[in-house]
Structures are given as structure tokens and as C-alpha cells.
Amino acid sequence: MDVHVSHGAIQETQADTLIVNLFEGVTAPDGATGAVDSALNGTIRDLAEGGDLKGKLGEVAVLYPRGVIAARRVLIAGLGPRESFDLEAARRAAAAAARRACELGARRLASIAHGAGSGGLEAAVAAQATVEGALLALYRYRRDDDDTEPDSFTLVEFDAGRLAELELGLRAAEAISAGVRLTRDLVNAPPNVVTPEHLADTARELARTHGLTIEVGDRDWIAERGMGALLAVAQGAARPPAFITLEHNPGGGDEAPIILVGKGITFDSGGLSLKTSSGMASMKQDMAGAGAVIGAMKAVALLELPIRVVALAACTENMPDGAAYRPSDVITASDGTAIEIVSTDAEGRLVLADALHYAKRYRPRAVINLATLTGSCVTALGEGVAAGLFCNDEDLRDRVLAAGRKTAERAWPLPLYDDYRCAIRSKVADIKNSGGARNGVGTSAVFLEHFTDYPWAHLDIAPMAYSDDKGPYTPAGGTGYGVRLLLELLRSEVA
């Protein structure tokens, strides 16, 4: 879909569908909505005064001008109460309008930037929120003949002095949405398609297209680096593992990077600690952490961020064949830590252990890992509510939380208590890979912390990576959670 900014009056724009807005309780529209209302001889005012248009967030009214203006239809998106309006309201309003336009068969959409006027948002951030909401709402993994994406989306601005700002916001939204869409595609695709090698090929294509540096380690490469934890998980899988390193380094120097680490279990059967059939059904999405960091790197490259960013993805299947690792095995991670295996279904923390240790060679200024790590986190925070955040650095924690608030990809801080460390003490090794169901989410985090010596944040995205129900701008399936949060965090580093 072509996305661009245009200078002019919205009511004169040559598009089949115009999108304006209205705050809840407003009966006399002003600004761009007022201009469209005047062109339509007060029709929007009549709807609002009569109670047929309330301006509630998510509400979309449809008007047919019947030749009074060039557009076939006008959509009025509710923004909700003015006093609670924010970036998320702008995204949701744009999403609701875009979805309704698509249902009506619109091909050419033209919208104002929601909140850039009386909403009090800066033009660039209003533009970004509007375009993000629309693009993410229109995502489909598969489309049928009756569900086609529009050909164009135009952001219209009357004030020529604000066009450059809107262009910046639009381009940011386009790049970030492309990263989210890639992540959603990877999570939604079947596990016989998205294998470790497929993730590696996706990363290779990103590197080729966007000038990133890439290295993909195969089983021998992994073994040469002593990554015994990753190798143990990969033992039972017929498909070979892959350790992906993607780097964006526009300056070409050796500055300390920010490192993004993703869990890439492309299918999780539980191994010999076999999941139930119902528990296994959605386990194609256990690579959502790796998907998020790969999607984030696409956005980083498109935005040409002037910052060094490295993505690491440890990828394998977790399968139960005769060569599979067993409960009671003791394996050795790449830092020399001996790990007693309590459950082969606690495999994500094992592959991350080797990735987190590998990150040390970069002497990073911060490392953020994302993983669909525990069902306990879903129980603790609720499905679709927030990711769990564990962090060993207060400043990094606060920056991750702030990025989550701004993007509405919420995270909630959880503790790294010593009690959890006690729960994974082992009599036959240095640590155990599980503290049992009663200590799940906390013990998984302190296990990971064992392999860090830098500012580190762990996002357990199990509650957020996949949803059976559609959200305001998220269809059912892979959500792409984490990409927008990471980009907000990275962009704040160079602001």
C-alpha cells in the first residue's frame, strides 16, 4: 500500500474515502472536521446534536456526500474524551476507521493526523500514531478475495509548515509497522515452514536488502563455541539449529552496542517432558522472541538509526526423539556453568543462556532479551495484559517501562528475589533449569541473570505474543509484540 503525505484541504482531496474525527461530547466540530462538516452543509453537526454520533473511542460513523465533495464516503472516527486522549487513542481511532473503510471496499484512503490539532499532540507523533494504527489494523496473514488491502493511504495536512514533521512521523510508522508485520508473519506461519533455517534465511534477506552484517552459526559453529545448553535442546530435533547474529553498525566503529536477544524455539513439543496435545497446539509461536528481534532489526535498518544494534537469536526445535536430552541430565553451558535438567520443557532459558553469555564479547551497554518463556507469567499478569519485566539495572528498567507506556506494549516489573535463586540450587550441578511450577516465572528470570554481567532486561512475552482474539489494531494470531517497544527504546537513545 502506498503511504504518503499530501498538502491541501481534506474535503478537496481526491480519494474515495475521507477520515476525520470527533471528540466525545463535541457537537460543533472545528478544524479539518469542521471544514468537512461545512462542505457537507452541517451533516456531521446534525449527527452529533441528534445523538447519532457520540465520538466514543472506536466508534466510526459513515456519511455519503452524494457528489457534494469528490469522495464517495466520509468516515468520522471517535476519539473518546478529550481529557484522556493520548497516542494510544489516536492509534485506536485510526485503526477503527481503517478497518471500517476496508469493510466498505475503500481503495484510496485520506486521513488527517488524529490529535495533531486540538488533541495537543506534536505533528510528528500524531502522524506516526495515525499511520501505525491504520497499517497494523489492516494486516492480514492471509487475505481472501473479499478482504483486500487498500491501494493508498494519504495523510492530509492544510498547514504547509507542518508537512515535514508529518513526513517524519509517517516514515517512522511505515518502518516500524513493516517490522511488526514481519514478526507477525513469522509467528503466524506453520512450524514446518518457519524452521531455524527459515529464520536464518529471513535474516540473510534482511542483511542483503538493508546492508546489515550477518553471521549464521550451524551445529558445528555452535559446538565450537561450547554452547552446550543450546546443543542439548537441539539434540532431539531432526532439523539443525541456527545461531543468528544480525548487526546494524552505521558508524562502523566498536562502540558498545545495544543487544537484542530472542528465543527461537520454532516448535516446542516439550521434549521428553512432553506437553499435552492441547498445550502443544500453539507452540509454533514459541519463536516469537526471535521473531520480534528480527522484525525490530528490519525497522532499525529502515529508519537508519545512528546507533549500533546487534540482534542474537538462538534457534532450534525442541523434540523428543531417541537422542533427546533427558530430565536428570547435567549439561554445560558456554560459560562453564553445569546445569541439572529438571524439565526438558524449560528449554527456552537454556538456549538464551548461551546467547546471553555470547553477548558479553560485545561489552554491551545494555541487553534486552524477549522470550515466550513461562506459562506462569500468563497466570501472574493475565493473557493480553502485559509482559513480565525482570531487570538488574534501574535506569534500563525505567526506560523499558517508559517505552512500553508510550507504545501501549505494556510491561510490568517483577522481582529478582534471592528466594528464587535458592529454588534452583542443585546438588549435582551449579544450578537447575527449573524451580518447579510453584516458582516458575521468578526462577526462570534468575536463571537467565546468572549468565549476565551487564545491564540486562528480560521480557517474558508469553502473555502478549499470540492472541486468539483480535485487538484494536491486532488481528487474531501473532501480535508482533515487542517490536514497537524496542524501537521506541532505541530511538530514545538517539533523541
Side-chain angles (χ1 to χ4, degrees):
M1 181 169 63
D2 177 47
V3 183
H4 61 275
V5 173
S6 177
H7 176 223
I10 184 76
Q11 68 273 19
E12 298 172 0
T13 302
Q14 297 297 308
D16 60 46
T17 303
L18 306 184
I19 301 171
V20 291
N21 57 51
L22 194 71
F23 281 108
E24 188 172 346
V26 172
T27 57
D30 57 9
T33 306
V36 173
D37 182 53
S38 295
L40 298 180
N41 300 313
T43 304
I44 298 175
R45 180 189 294 258
D46 288 345
L47 283 176
E49 289 180 345
D52 299 302
L53 172 59
K54 295 181 171 58
K56 291 184 177 180
L57 185 60
E59 178 185 18
V60 180
V62 184
L63 297 177
Y64 292 93
R66 298 175 64 85
V68 176
I69 58 176
R72 171 173 171 72
R73 63 184 71 83
V74 174
L75 273 55
I76 306 100
L79 299 181
R82 190 189 302 269
E83 59 272 17
S84 61
F85 179 77
D86 58 9
L87 285 171
E88 179 64 0
R91 279 188 287 264
R92 291 189 177 204
R99 277 182 169 160
R100 186 71 180 110
C102 198
E103 290 169 358
L104 295 168
R107 307 304 309 157
R108 292 174 296 123
L109 281 62
S111 175
I112 57 175
H114 302 306
S118 58
L121 299 180
E122 294 178 1
V125 296
Q128 181 180 334
T130 300
V131 177
E132 264 185 23
L135 292 181
L136 295 179
L138 293 175
Y139 168 86
R140 300 290 184 275
Y141 175 59
R142 296 184 66 189
R143 293 185 181 274
D144 55 38
D145 293 339
D146 298 324
D147 183 24
T148 57
E149 187 173 75
D151 299 321
S152 64
F153 184 93
T154 304
L155 209 56
V156 181
E157 174 55 48
F158 185 73
D159 183 355
R162 298 206 298 178
L163 291 177
E165 290 182 73
L166 265 69
E167 184 72 30
L168 284 174
L170 180 146
R171 294 307 162 203
E174 199 171 21
I176 293 166
S177 297
V180 174
R181 285 176 166 227
L182 173 59
T183 300
R184 288 179 178 178
D185 281 346
L186 291 171
V187 174
N188 285 327
N192 60 317
V193 171
V194 177
T195 62
E197 185 59 24
H198 181 89
L199 289 177
D201 286 343
T202 301
R204 289 187 184 102
E205 180 61 19
L206 277 184
R208 185 190 67 79
T209 305
H210 299 294
L212 303 176
T213 301
I214 186 166
E215 183 175 23
V216 177
D218 59 12
R219 193 185 300 271
D220 289 340
W221 184 97
I222 293 166
E224 286 169 6
R225 284 150 185 82
M227 295 183 176
L230 171 55
L231 284 175
V233 179
Q235 280 177 204
R239 293 183 173 90
F243 191 95
I244 301 166
T245 304
L246 262 179
E247 182 171 351
H248 169 80
N249 189 8
D254 59 356
E255 67 171 288
I258 293 179
I259 298 185
L260 314 177
V261 178
K263 169 188 171 183
I265 303 297
T266 58
F267 188 76
D268 182 17
S269 69
L272 293 178
S273 303
L274 197 67
K275 294 179 182 289
T276 63
S277 57
S278 59
M280 204 186 301
S282 63
M283 284 298 103
K284 69 176 186 178
Q285 54 94 9
D286 211 21
M287 41 58 65
V293 301
I294 291 171
M297 291 302 286
K298 179 170 186 174
V300 165
L302 288 170
L303 289 171
E304 299 179 338
L305 292 186
I307 183 175
R308 188 182 180 199
V309 185
V310 176
L312 306 176
C315 307
T316 183
E317 293 180 327
N318 184 26
M319 300 295 282
D321 83 351
Y325 75 131
R326 297 156 292 226
S328 296
D329 280 358
V330 174
I331 64 173
T332 304
S334 50
D335 72 337
T337 297
I339 305 169
E340 178 188 357
I341 303 303
V342 173
S343 169
T344 65
D345 195 24
E347 85 298 329
R349 66 202 69 178
L350 296 175
V351 304
L352 288 172
D354 281 331
L356 291 171
H357 177 65
Y358 190 78
K360 293 175 185 176
R361 68 183 52 209
Y362 293 93
R363 297 181 180 176
R365 57 168 144 162
V367 174
I368 303 100
N369 73 253
L370 291 84
T372 48
L373 209 62
T374 66
S376 301
C377 193
V378 183
T379 302
L381 297 177
E383 186 174 325
V385 177
L389 170 64
F390 296 85
C391 196
N392 64 5
D393 181 272
E394 288 188 8
D395 179 63
L396 178 59
R397 178 201 63 197
D398 291 345
R399 285 184 286 139
V400 172
L401 291 173
R405 284 192 295 269
K406 193 167 182 179
T407 59
E409 290 200 320
R410 291 184 297 197
W412 188 256
L414 295 169
L416 292 163
Y417 290 142
D418 284 339
D419 308 60
Y420 299 131
R421 295 180 182 88
C422 295
I424 58 171
R425 288 176 181 165
S426 171
K427 295 179 180 179
V428 297
D430 296 316
I431 53 175
K432 297 187 290 186
N433 80 324
S434 174
R438 293 171 60 187
N439 297 295
V441 67
T443 53
S444 67
V446 296
F447 179 93
L448 295 178
E449 187 189 23
H450 176 88
F451 298 91
T452 69
D453 63 359
Y454 39 68
W456 161 79
H458 159 51
L459 283 164
D460 189 333
I461 66 173
M464 306 300 293
Y466 196 90
S467 177
D468 292 327
D469 303 311
K470 71 177 183 180
Y473 42 86
T474 305
T479 64
Y481 177 93
V483 174
R484 293 188 301 116
L485 184 156
L486 290 174
L487 264 295
E488 179 62 32
L489 178 67
L490 293 170
R491 292 175 77 200
S492 71
E493 292 289 313
V494 297

